[in-house]
Amino acid sequence: MKVVVWLAEGTWQACVDAAAEVAPPSASITLLHVTDPALAADVSDAFAGLVGRGSRGDPGAAVDAAAARAEEALLRAAAARLDRPATPVRRHGRLEREVVAAAEGADLLVVARDGPVTRLGPRSLNPPTRFVVDHAPCAVLLVWPTAPPPVDTIPPPPPHKAAPPHKAAPPHKAAPPPP
């Protein structure tokens, strides 16, 4: 069994714990972290807009370096928490696209809810995570990063609307008898 565990800041512990619980000892586990390079590019662009393009000291490189250090620390912490052999994988690009691509060929993708966790409902998934859940090429184990909220937090149903009237199908004409 091949298991991919998506590690995201703030929710990775729940994913690692779930993988440790459900993956058989013989499973091949991949600890996946994705960094979106758009963050550093946005910082660089903002800096250039504020200070001018010819200035020195672009903070984009510092953001990239800090992200790389944080990624290494997160992967080390996840491996220590899992406490069994696992392969760390670092990918760079759009989060949702990279996670789906990394799950190709996997049997299970472990993902944590990353939206508000105070009530049940679809808003407990941010758009990139919703994309991953909808497009994953394998089974998905969706876990809560904290204790799940009570069932009575489910949003109320929308107001009932009567179904539109259906037109009756035209009467079926019997085939003419054979000559």
Side-chain angles (χ1 to χ4, degrees):
M1 173 180 225
K2 183 177 175 189
V3 178
V4 175
V5 182
W6 180 16
L7 306 176
E9 291 76 3
T11 61
W12 67 267
Q13 297 93 334
C15 291
V16 170
D17 293 347
E21 185 178 328
V22 302
S26 62
S28 167
I29 299 178
T30 298
L31 299 174
L32 171 68
H33 185 265
V34 180
T35 303
D36 191 341
L39 174 63
D42 289 347
V43 170
S44 291
D45 291 348
F47 182 76
L50 291 172
V51 180
R53 298 196 185 280
S55 65
R56 295 181 183 248
D58 177 3
V63 169
D64 268 341
R69 287 190 304 273
E71 179 178 59
E72 285 304 316
L74 188 144
L75 286 166
R76 278 194 309 276
R81 186 176 186 110
L82 184 62
D83 195 29
R84 63 194 266 192
T87 304
V89 171
R90 298 155 193 82
R91 292 184 74 123
H92 301 276
R94 298 262 325 227
L95 294 174
E96 61 275 21
R97 302 278 175 174
E98 293 298 323
V99 173
V100 169
E104 185 175 14
D107 299 300
L108 179 66
L109 173 63
V110 182
V111 178
R113 293 177 181 274
D114 58 354
V117 294
T118 56
R119 60 188 258 180
L120 299 171
R123 288 191 175 36
S124 65
L125 297 177
N126 284 328
T129 305
R130 166 58 47 194
F131 182 94
V132 169
V133 169
D134 289 344
H135 296 87
C138 61
V140 176
L141 174 59
L142 183 60
V143 300
W144 287 92
T146 60
V151 173
D152 65 0
T153 64
I154 294 174
H160 180 71
K161 293 182 182 177
H166 295 285
K167 293 184 178 179
H172 181 50
K173 294 183 180 179

